[in-house]
């Protein structure tokens, strides 16, 4: 287990953040801080804005035509939406793991070091070391160490997702965003990903969007509940699940809607 946790402090701050897809407002007046080295879960019904907010943190929403953001969102005090922000560098600092694993049709090795190659790393021993380190951290090394030259497409779904996590880790991000990383996986693979989140937090700040409330309760230190584009409540996971402050949160957690 990692011991380097809790050099806490805020890493991401949203202040009066509003987000629009064309005319449709997807986020309204979001005020939220994300703590360094912890795992934070975003929960809420479908279409409530949690994935939209997640994608604001690495500006993936830039890829959507007609999208626009108002208010302030900072990473380590830097305004993420400043015109001078280097988005490529931002996405190195803020890695992303998607709902559906998306390995590239390349070898396991080349998948793992892909981000480093893009960044211009050519030194073979550096690439080899990063490959092994990342695969070890993503609990995949022992399963693939003799198959690094083989196509990643031959791996199972759960292995694909851990490979995508290894690929994110290789470039040494500060934050790893996970958008429902287990929703396409079987229960056994899900357990491995959850164990991995527990291992990685501390060295990385993890933000996970999940529909699975038990999963949020198991893996996260803090939980934010979104509803109809608004942040209803945020706090320590145990407190939020056992004694929420708002009726909407309680209704969602007890299955009255969602």
């Amino acid at each position: 287990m990692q011991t380097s946790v809790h050099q806490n402090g805020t890493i991401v701050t949203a202040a009066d953040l509003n987000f629009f897809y064309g005319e449709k407002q997807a986020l309204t007046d979001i005020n939220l801080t994300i703590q360094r080295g912890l795992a934070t879960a975003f929960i809420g019904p479908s279409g409530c804005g949690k994935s939209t907010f997640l994608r604001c943190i690495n500006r993936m929403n830039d890829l959507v035509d007609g999208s626009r953001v108002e208010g302030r969102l900072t990473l380590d005090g830097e305004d993420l939406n400043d015109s001078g922000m280097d988005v490529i560098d931002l996405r190195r600092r803020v890695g992303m793991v998607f709902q559906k694993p998306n390995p590239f049709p390349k070898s396991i090795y080349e998948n793992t070091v892909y981000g480093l190659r893009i960044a211009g790393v050519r030194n073979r021993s550096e690439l080899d070391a990063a490959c092994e380190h990342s695969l070890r951290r993503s609990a995949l090394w022992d399963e693939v160490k003799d198959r690094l030259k083989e196509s990643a497409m031959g791996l199972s779904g759960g292995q694909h997702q851990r490979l995508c996590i290894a690929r994110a880790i290789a470039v040494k991000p500060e934050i790893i965003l996970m958008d429902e990383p287990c929703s396409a996986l079987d229960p056994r693979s899900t357990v491995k990903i959850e164990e991995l989140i527990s291992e990685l937090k501390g060295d990385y700040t993890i933000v996970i969007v999940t529909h699975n409330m038990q999963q949020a309760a198991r893996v996260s230190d803090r939980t934010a509940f979104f509803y109809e584009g608004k942040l209803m409540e945020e706090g320590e996971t145990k407190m939020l699940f056992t004694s929420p402050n708002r009726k909407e949160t309680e209704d969602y957690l007890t299955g009255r809607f969602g």
Side-chain angles (χ1 to χ4, degrees), residues 1-251:
M1 284 296 291
Q2 296 307 307
T3 53
S4 61
V5 173
H6 310 325
Q7 54 314 32
N8 275 13
T10 299
I11 187 166
V12 174
T13 302
D16 299 326
L17 190 78
N18 293 284
F19 187 85
F20 301 83
Y21 293 112
E23 295 299 303
K24 181 183 183 298
Q25 185 162 359
L27 294 172
T28 304
D29 296 334
I30 304 294
N31 289 284
L32 176 66
T33 57
I34 293 171
Q35 301 302 306
R36 187 185 306 278
L38 300 184
T40 299
F42 293 172
I43 63 169
S46 293
C48 66
K50 55 191 186 294
S51 288
T52 296
F53 183 68
L54 188 81
R55 287 160 180 263
C56 285
I57 302 171
N58 68 346
R59 289 192 37 187
M60 286 293 284
N61 292 323
D62 287 14
L63 306 172
V64 181
D65 284 345
S67 63
R68 76 177 200 280
V69 63
E70 295 172 356
R72 193 166 164 82
L73 184 64
T74 62
L75 169 64
D76 287 331
E78 294 177 70
D79 186 346
L80 291 185
N81 297 296
D82 186 83
S83 57
M85 173 59 72
D86 180 338
V87 178
I88 292 169
D89 181 59
L90 171 64
R91 291 184 189 145
R92 186 193 61 72
R93 294 166 64 192
V94 184
M96 181 127 188
V97 176
F98 295 91
Q99 185 170 354
K100 191 171 185 306
N102 58 339
F104 303 133
K106 298 170 177 284
S107 70
I108 293 166
Y109 181 93
E110 288 301 335
N111 264 276
T112 310
V113 302
Y114 181 82
L116 293 171
R117 286 210 189 275
I118 294 285
V121 177
R122 295 284 174 267
N123 182 306
R124 183 71 194 202
S125 61
E126 190 180 336
L127 293 172
D128 288 352
C131 177
E132 179 172 346
H133 173 77
S134 304
L135 290 170
R136 282 189 186 281
R137 289 306 311 269
S138 60
L140 197 53
W141 175 253
D142 290 339
E143 295 167 42
V144 303
K145 62 186 177 193
D146 301 321
R147 303 162 52 190
L148 295 178
K149 291 189 168 68
E150 292 178 22
S151 170
M153 307 319 272
L155 298 175
S156 70
Q159 289 173 322
H160 277 162
Q161 196 61 298
R162 282 182 284 146
L163 180 63
C164 293
I165 292 170
R167 190 171 70 200
I169 290 171
V171 295
K172 299 183 176 162
E174 296 172 53
I175 301 175
I176 302 173
L177 307 177
M178 299 185 170
D179 195 356
E180 294 192 52
C182 302
S183 65
L185 303 181
D186 62 81
R188 195 169 164 204
S189 298
T190 295
V191 168
K192 287 199 165 178
I193 299 290
E194 290 183 3
E195 287 172 349
L196 195 49
I197 292 168
S198 299
E199 285 283 320
L200 293 173
K201 71 183 187 187
D203 289 348
Y204 306 91
T205 301
I206 294 180
V207 186
I208 177 171
V209 165
T210 178
H211 270 112
N212 182 329
M213 282 178 289
Q214 290 77 23
Q215 182 171 76
R218 284 191 297 264
V219 305
S220 70
D221 302 291
R222 300 188 71 80
T223 297
F225 170 59
F226 288 80
Y227 181 58
E228 295 185 346
K230 297 184 173 128
L231 175 65
M232 284 300 184
E233 188 168 348
E234 187 272 340
E236 199 179 312
T237 296
K238 196 170 178 184
M239 291 295 293
L240 188 129
F241 274 81
T242 53
S243 51
N245 289 323
R246 298 190 60 129
K247 185 174 188 313
E248 296 93 340
T249 315
E250 187 178 344
D251 285 351

